[in-house]
Amino acid sequence: MKFVAEINVMPRPELLDPQGKAVLLGLEHLGLDQVDDVRIGKHITLNLEAETEEIAREKVEKACSKLLANLIMESYTFELKQV
């Protein structure tokens, strides 16, 4: 079975996000001062094959926790769809 995982990796809320703060400042300079906060993260699309959805979920969890996200500074979420 083929699956697509849509993964979002974001900085943990308790940590500063300098890139997000820089974008927020830029938005204010553009006159978009109604924006309260900006957080910058990563979006990853992962195509994979697995025998079941449960096995696919385990593979995506492993990829996220071991490689795609730095769990000290980032958290992740993902959606898995069969294609």
Side-chain angles (χ1 to χ4, degrees):
M1 300 169 76
K2 293 186 179 195
F3 295 91
V4 174
E6 299 289 339
I7 304 164
N8 290 307
V9 180
M10 295 296 293
R12 291 195 177 275
E14 60 271 13
L15 296 177
L16 293 175
D17 181 4
Q19 189 176 7
K21 294 297 179 202
V23 169
L24 180 62
L25 203 66
L27 291 172
E28 289 173 358
H29 288 212
L30 292 173
L32 299 171
D33 53 355
Q34 63 272 34
V35 177
D36 292 331
D37 192 28
V38 176
R39 306 287 290 173
I40 304 290
K42 301 179 277 192
H43 180 82
I44 301 157
T45 301
L46 190 68
N47 297 297
L48 68 147
E49 290 190 28
E51 293 177 9
T52 66
E53 183 175 339
E54 183 179 334
I55 292 171
R57 285 192 178 282
E58 290 172 3
K59 288 182 176 189
V60 174
E61 279 286 344
K62 185 175 183 179
C64 290
S65 65
K66 301 281 185 186
L67 178 65
L68 300 176
N70 177 346
L71 298 181
I72 295 170
M73 300 183 333
E74 299 171 318
S75 60
Y76 65 88
T77 59
F78 67 88
E79 291 184 25
L80 187 65
K81 298 176 188 169
Q82 185 178 349
V83 291

